[in-house]
């Protein structure tokens, strides 16, 4: 079971505005031209709102449904069926308002490139689960929002060591943000199980996951996104 709709719509996004990590700030560095280009391309993705009249966005949403429930026909883009994936209501577009289309792209990337891990999280197949579980899709949006904050992606350049190191990785791998999203989601679920969490603990689980991710992105021997220790959580 997942938490009630009124709770999900309030607590998740209200608490996401708080600074959750604890990393040293730094500004004494310059971006390379390639890093500037990579950051700019990613920031352009962040600016795109979800548009339920856009055919690309509609098709991406349909593709997400097919990846999650390949044997179940979707009756419409507005349907009570969406609640089975962990959306708040019958129209998923209302949940994208806090993060834009990039959160949909992250979920779809997860489903297409790491389908085994995606389905294990969607259907809560690992470990002993709580009576009141986190709603998968809404949790995924919160993971995207957490990463945007953690990496200072709305800034002219990152202000923390994890953000700086990530930008170096991104300049060599344009899929780095999407892969990092998959890692962060899998890490969050692992923390959820380790903490024996229930729906009221979601924000604390996300906070702990963020701290662990910041630590891993600060390691000296991490030069690719797949060098992160938590990458081992992902299964194709």
């Amino acid at each position: 079971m997942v938490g009630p709709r009124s709770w999900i719509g309030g607590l998740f996004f209200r608490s996401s505005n708080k600074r959750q990590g604890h990393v040293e700030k730094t500004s004494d560095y310059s971006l390379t031209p390639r890093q500037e280009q990579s950051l700019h391309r990613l920031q352009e993705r962040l600016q795109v709102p979800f548009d339920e009249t856009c055919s690309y966005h509609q098709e991406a949403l349909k593709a997400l449904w097919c990846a999650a429930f390949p044997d179940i026909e979707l009756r419409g883009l507005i349907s009570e069926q969406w609640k089975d994936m962990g959306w708040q209501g019958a129209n998923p577009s209302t949940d994208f308002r806090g993060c834009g289309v990039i959160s949909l792209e992250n979920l779809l990337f997860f489903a297409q490139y790491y389908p085994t891990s995606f389905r294990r999280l969607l259907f809560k197949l690992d470990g002993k689960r709580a009576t009141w579980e986190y709603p998968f899709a809404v949790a995924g949006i919160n993971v995207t929002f957490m990463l945007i904050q953690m990496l200072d992606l709305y800034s002219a350049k990152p202000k923390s060591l994890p953000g700086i190191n990530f930008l170096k990785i991104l300049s060599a791998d344009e899929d780095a943000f999407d892969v990092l999203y998959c890692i962060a989601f899998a890490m969050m679920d692992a923390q959820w199980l380790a903490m024996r969490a229930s729906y009221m603990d979601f924000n604390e689980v996300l906070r702990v996951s963020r701290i662990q991710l910041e630590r891993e992105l600060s390691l000296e021997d991490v030069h690719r996104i797949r060098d992160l220790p938590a990458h081992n959580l992902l299964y194709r």
Side-chain angles (χ1 to χ4, degrees):
M1 300 177 69
V2 299
R5 180 177 179 182
S6 58
W7 174 81
I8 298 169
L11 185 58
F12 275 27
F13 290 107
R14 183 167 60 246
S15 62
S16 347
N17 292 323
K18 297 179 181 178
R19 173 77 178 167
Q20 298 182 28
H22 304 279
V23 293
E24 184 179 350
K25 294 283 188 174
T26 179
S27 58
D28 187 22
Y29 75 101
S30 299
L31 300 180
T32 67
R34 187 166 184 173
Q35 289 171 353
E36 287 183 346
Q37 292 174 0
S38 298
L39 178 59
H40 179 68
R41 284 195 296 267
L42 182 53
Q43 288 174 331
E44 285 184 330
R45 291 179 63 190
L46 303 183
Q47 300 301 322
V48 181
F50 182 83
D51 181 357
E52 57 187 316
T53 67
C54 172
S55 59
Y56 165 72
H57 297 177
Q58 291 174 353
E59 292 305 314
L61 201 52
K62 292 176 183 176
L64 180 63
W65 176 269
C66 289
F69 305 105
D71 300 323
I72 301 176
E73 182 180 357
L74 179 65
R75 292 190 291 269
L77 291 177
I78 299 178
S79 169
E80 294 294 318
Q81 291 174 288
W82 288 108
K83 294 180 183 179
D84 294 336
M85 197 187 294
W87 301 100
Q88 295 185 58
N91 186 356
S93 68
T94 61
D95 291 325
F96 291 120
R97 292 171 184 167
C99 221
V101 77
I102 192 170
S103 54
L104 170 58
E105 292 173 340
N106 287 159
L107 280 167
L108 187 56
F109 183 94
F110 194 9
Q112 293 176 336
Y113 286 87
Y114 299 97
T116 300
S117 289
F118 176 85
R119 294 179 68 81
R120 285 167 68 168
L121 268 62
L122 171 62
F123 297 113
K124 309 294 193 296
L125 298 180
D126 293 335
K128 184 178 180 180
R129 313 304 304 202
T131 301
W132 290 97
E133 276 288 326
Y134 65 83
F136 175 80
V138 176
I141 292 177
N142 278 269
V143 171
T144 298
F145 195 77
M146 178 270 286
L147 290 177
I148 292 170
Q149 287 192 316
M150 183 187 80
L151 299 171
D152 297 311
L153 293 182
Y154 283 118
S155 301
K157 61 181 181 178
K159 302 181 182 67
S160 65
L161 181 58
I164 295 169
N165 288 345
F166 172 75
L167 194 52
K168 293 176 182 177
I169 294 170
L170 181 67
S171 65
D173 180 1
E174 63 181 14
D175 291 332
F177 184 77
D178 297 276
V179 177
L180 183 63
Y181 169 86
C182 301
I183 294 171
F185 208 154
M187 178 186 287
M188 185 278 294
D189 188 73
Q191 290 285 1
W192 178 273
L193 291 172
M195 295 169 65
R196 299 180 180 178
S198 188
Y199 71 99
M200 286 298 290
D201 304 313
F202 180 83
N203 289 304
E204 177 62 14
V205 173
L206 198 63
R207 185 189 70 84
V208 172
S209 301
R210 170 174 172 162
I211 291 172
Q212 179 61 29
L213 202 56
E214 288 173 332
R215 288 172 179 163
E216 294 197 9
L217 280 168
S218 299
L219 296 173
E220 292 183 358
D221 57 349
V222 171
H223 305 292
R224 304 173 305 164
I225 203 68
R226 290 162 180 79
D227 292 336
L228 292 172
H231 186 267
N232 292 330
L233 294 170
L234 295 178
Y235 298 89
R236 292 184 183 274

mmCIF file of all heavy atoms in Angstrom, residues 161 165 168-169 214-230:
data_model
loop_
_atom_site.group_PDB
_atom_site.id
_atom_site.type_symbol
_atom_site.label_atom_id
_atom_site.label_comp_id
_atom_site.label_asym_id
_atom_site.label_seq_id
_atom_site.Cartn_x
_atom_site.Cartn_y
_atom_site.Cartn_z
ATOM 1 N N LEU A 161 31.898 19.890 -4.093
ATOM 2 C CA LEU A 161 32.779 18.908 -4.708
ATOM 3 C C LEU A 161 32.015 17.823 -5.463
ATOM 4 O O LEU A 161 32.408 17.469 -6.587
ATOM 5 C CB LEU A 161 33.677 18.278 -3.637
ATOM 6 C CG LEU A 161 34.693 17.236 -4.127
ATOM 7 C CD1 LEU A 161 35.629 17.834 -5.170
ATOM 8 C CD2 LEU A 161 35.490 16.686 -2.944
ATOM 9 N N ASN A 165 32.696 17.255 -9.441
ATOM 10 C CA ASN A 165 33.123 15.958 -9.967
ATOM 11 C C ASN A 165 32.100 15.380 -10.949
ATOM 12 O O ASN A 165 32.467 14.770 -11.954
ATOM 13 C CB ASN A 165 33.358 14.981 -8.820
ATOM 14 C CG ASN A 165 34.615 15.311 -8.030
ATOM 15 O OD1 ASN A 165 35.456 16.094 -8.483
ATOM 16 N ND2 ASN A 165 34.752 14.732 -6.853
ATOM 17 N N LYS A 168 32.512 16.900 -14.383
ATOM 18 C CA LYS A 168 33.626 16.302 -15.109
ATOM 19 C C LYS A 168 33.189 14.997 -15.776
ATOM 20 O O LYS A 168 33.552 14.711 -16.917
ATOM 21 C CB LYS A 168 34.791 16.043 -14.157
ATOM 22 C CG LYS A 168 35.432 17.309 -13.599
ATOM 23 C CD LYS A 168 36.521 16.956 -12.581
ATOM 24 C CE LYS A 168 37.127 18.221 -11.976
ATOM 25 N NZ LYS A 168 38.145 17.885 -10.934
ATOM 26 N N ILE A 169 32.399 14.218 -15.030
ATOM 27 C CA ILE A 169 31.891 12.948 -15.575
ATOM 28 C C ILE A 169 30.919 13.215 -16.719
ATOM 29 O O ILE A 169 30.969 12.566 -17.763
ATOM 30 C CB ILE A 169 31.202 12.146 -14.457
ATOM 31 C CG1 ILE A 169 32.215 11.723 -13.396
ATOM 32 C CG2 ILE A 169 30.484 10.933 -15.024
ATOM 33 C CD1 ILE A 169 31.592 11.140 -12.148
ATOM 34 N N GLU A 214 26.574 11.880 -2.132
ATOM 35 C CA GLU A 214 27.577 12.943 -2.105
ATOM 36 C C GLU A 214 28.947 12.397 -1.730
ATOM 37 O O GLU A 214 29.969 12.804 -2.303
ATOM 38 C CB GLU A 214 27.147 14.030 -1.114
ATOM 39 C CG GLU A 214 25.987 14.874 -1.603
ATOM 40 C CD GLU A 214 25.460 15.822 -0.551
ATOM 41 O OE1 GLU A 214 25.571 15.521 0.663
ATOM 42 O OE2 GLU A 214 24.913 16.881 -0.932
ATOM 43 N N ARG A 215 28.977 11.477 -0.788
ATOM 44 C CA ARG A 215 30.250 10.865 -0.403
ATOM 45 C C ARG A 215 30.871 10.109 -1.562
ATOM 46 O O ARG A 215 32.087 10.210 -1.809
ATOM 47 C CB ARG A 215 30.031 9.919 0.780
ATOM 48 C CG ARG A 215 29.742 10.624 2.103
ATOM 49 C CD ARG A 215 29.339 9.621 3.170
ATOM 50 N NE ARG A 215 29.088 10.277 4.448
ATOM 51 C CZ ARG A 215 28.428 9.718 5.462
ATOM 52 N NH1 ARG A 215 27.934 8.485 5.313
ATOM 53 N NH2 ARG A 215 28.238 10.373 6.590
ATOM 54 N N GLU A 216 30.055 9.357 -2.259
ATOM 55 C CA GLU A 216 30.585 8.565 -3.371
ATOM 56 C C GLU A 216 31.073 9.453 -4.511
ATOM 57 O O GLU A 216 32.089 9.160 -5.146
ATOM 58 C CB GLU A 216 29.531 7.572 -3.857
ATOM 59 C CG GLU A 216 29.198 6.505 -2.825
ATOM 60 C CD GLU A 216 28.478 5.304 -3.396
ATOM 61 O OE1 GLU A 216 28.379 5.192 -4.640
ATOM 62 O OE2 GLU A 216 28.021 4.460 -2.608
ATOM 63 N N LEU A 217 30.371 10.544 -4.781
ATOM 64 C CA LEU A 217 30.790 11.466 -5.834
ATOM 65 C C LEU A 217 32.029 12.261 -5.446
ATOM 66 O O LEU A 217 32.638 12.917 -6.296
ATOM 67 C CB LEU A 217 29.650 12.428 -6.185
ATOM 68 C CG LEU A 217 28.583 11.875 -7.116
ATOM 69 C CD1 LEU A 217 27.375 12.800 -7.151
ATOM 70 C CD2 LEU A 217 29.128 11.678 -8.529
ATOM 71 N N SER A 218 32.412 12.218 -4.179
ATOM 72 C CA SER A 218 33.596 12.931 -3.707
ATOM 73 C C SER A 218 34.835 12.051 -3.677
ATOM 74 O O SER A 218 35.934 12.527 -3.374
ATOM 75 C CB SER A 218 33.340 13.497 -2.300
ATOM 76 O OG SER A 218 32.263 14.416 -2.304
ATOM 77 N N LEU A 219 34.686 10.760 -3.979
ATOM 78 C CA LEU A 219 35.819 9.845 -3.963
ATOM 79 C C LEU A 219 36.816 10.173 -5.079
ATOM 80 O O LEU A 219 36.421 10.484 -6.204
ATOM 81 C CB LEU A 219 35.332 8.405 -4.112
ATOM 82 C CG LEU A 219 34.455 7.864 -2.976
ATOM 83 C CD1 LEU A 219 33.911 6.492 -3.348
ATOM 84 C CD2 LEU A 219 35.240 7.789 -1.677
ATOM 85 N N GLU A 220 38.093 10.074 -4.772
ATOM 86 C CA GLU A 220 39.122 10.452 -5.734
ATOM 87 C C GLU A 220 39.192 9.508 -6.933
ATOM 88 O O GLU A 220 39.625 9.917 -8.012
ATOM 89 C CB GLU A 220 40.488 10.500 -5.033
ATOM 90 C CG GLU A 220 40.616 11.627 -4.011
ATOM 91 C CD GLU A 220 41.996 11.673 -3.396
ATOM 92 O OE1 GLU A 220 42.830 10.798 -3.738
ATOM 93 O OE2 GLU A 220 42.250 12.585 -2.584
ATOM 94 N N ASP A 221 38.799 8.259 -6.737
ATOM 95 C CA ASP A 221 38.945 7.288 -7.823
ATOM 96 C C ASP A 221 37.682 7.139 -8.662
ATOM 97 O O ASP A 221 37.567 6.197 -9.445
ATOM 98 C CB ASP A 221 39.366 5.923 -7.272
ATOM 99 C CG ASP A 221 38.386 5.380 -6.241
ATOM 100 O OD1 ASP A 221 37.508 6.146 -5.802
ATOM 101 O OD2 ASP A 221 38.502 4.186 -5.873
ATOM 102 N N VAL A 222 36.740 8.065 -8.520
ATOM 103 C CA VAL A 222 35.531 8.047 -9.343
ATOM 104 C C VAL A 222 35.733 8.987 -10.531
ATOM 105 O O VAL A 222 35.776 10.207 -10.372
ATOM 106 C CB VAL A 222 34.292 8.462 -8.524
ATOM 107 C CG1 VAL A 222 33.085 8.655 -9.442
ATOM 108 C CG2 VAL A 222 33.983 7.400 -7.475
ATOM 109 N N HIS A 223 35.890 8.401 -11.704
ATOM 110 C CA HIS A 223 36.100 9.192 -12.922
ATOM 111 C C HIS A 223 34.984 8.980 -13.942
ATOM 112 O O HIS A 223 34.853 9.753 -14.885
ATOM 113 C CB HIS A 223 37.440 8.809 -13.557
ATOM 114 C CG HIS A 223 38.606 8.938 -12.625
ATOM 115 N ND1 HIS A 223 39.067 10.149 -12.148
ATOM 116 C CD2 HIS A 223 39.391 7.983 -12.040
ATOM 117 C CE1 HIS A 223 40.085 9.964 -11.335
ATOM 118 N NE2 HIS A 223 40.304 8.661 -11.247
ATOM 119 N N ARG A 224 34.219 7.920 -13.760
ATOM 120 C CA ARG A 224 33.059 7.628 -14.597
ATOM 121 C C ARG A 224 31.881 7.360 -13.676
ATOM 122 O O ARG A 224 32.062 6.993 -12.516
ATOM 123 C CB ARG A 224 33.305 6.412 -15.486
ATOM 124 C CG ARG A 224 34.519 6.475 -16.377
ATOM 125 C CD ARG A 224 34.720 5.139 -17.074
ATOM 126 N NE ARG A 224 34.806 4.048 -16.095
ATOM 127 C CZ ARG A 224 34.666 2.765 -16.399
ATOM 128 N NH1 ARG A 224 34.406 2.402 -17.647
ATOM 129 N NH2 ARG A 224 34.765 1.846 -15.464
ATOM 130 N N ILE A 225 30.678 7.528 -14.201
ATOM 131 C CA ILE A 225 29.501 7.309 -13.354
ATOM 132 C C ILE A 225 29.453 5.852 -12.888
ATOM 133 O O ILE A 225 28.972 5.554 -11.783
ATOM 134 C CB ILE A 225 28.211 7.712 -14.116
ATOM 135 C CG1 ILE A 225 27.089 8.029 -13.130
ATOM 136 C CG2 ILE A 225 27.790 6.656 -15.107
ATOM 137 C CD1 ILE A 225 27.306 9.262 -12.309
ATOM 138 N N ARG A 226 29.981 4.959 -13.692
ATOM 139 C CA ARG A 226 29.969 3.536 -13.326
ATOM 140 C C ARG A 226 31.041 3.179 -12.306
ATOM 141 O O ARG A 226 31.116 2.026 -11.859
ATOM 142 C CB ARG A 226 30.090 2.676 -14.587
ATOM 143 C CG ARG A 226 28.834 2.741 -15.447
ATOM 144 C CD ARG A 226 29.045 2.280 -16.869
ATOM 145 N NE ARG A 226 27.809 2.368 -17.643
ATOM 146 C CZ ARG A 226 27.320 3.494 -18.168
ATOM 147 N NH1 ARG A 226 27.986 4.636 -17.985
ATOM 148 N NH2 ARG A 226 26.195 3.501 -18.851
ATOM 149 N N ASP A 227 31.895 4.156 -11.937
ATOM 150 C CA ASP A 227 32.879 3.933 -10.878
ATOM 151 C C ASP A 227 32.255 4.098 -9.492
ATOM 152 O O ASP A 227 32.885 3.708 -8.498
ATOM 153 C CB ASP A 227 34.048 4.922 -11.004
ATOM 154 C CG ASP A 227 34.904 4.662 -12.239
ATOM 155 O OD1 ASP A 227 34.905 3.516 -12.731
ATOM 156 O OD2 ASP A 227 35.555 5.617 -12.712
ATOM 157 N N LEU A 228 31.069 4.665 -9.416
ATOM 158 C CA LEU A 228 30.425 4.828 -8.125
ATOM 159 C C LEU A 228 30.155 3.461 -7.512
ATOM 160 O O LEU A 228 29.610 2.576 -8.177
ATOM 161 C CB LEU A 228 29.105 5.596 -8.275
ATOM 162 C CG LEU A 228 29.195 7.067 -8.672
ATOM 163 C CD1 LEU A 228 27.797 7.618 -8.977
ATOM 164 C CD2 LEU A 228 29.840 7.887 -7.555
ATOM 165 N N PRO A 229 30.497 3.246 -6.252
ATOM 166 C CA PRO A 229 30.223 1.947 -5.619
ATOM 167 C C PRO A 229 28.776 1.515 -5.735
ATOM 168 O O PRO A 229 28.489 0.329 -5.937
ATOM 169 C CB PRO A 229 30.636 2.188 -4.152
ATOM 170 C CG PRO A 229 31.688 3.258 -4.234
ATOM 171 C CD PRO A 229 31.255 4.146 -5.355
ATOM 172 N N ALA A 230 27.848 2.466 -5.636
ATOM 173 C CA ALA A 230 26.425 2.123 -5.667
ATOM 174 C C ALA A 230 25.942 1.719 -7.045
ATOM 175 O O ALA A 230 24.807 1.243 -7.191
ATOM 176 C CB ALA A 230 25.591 3.299 -5.148
#
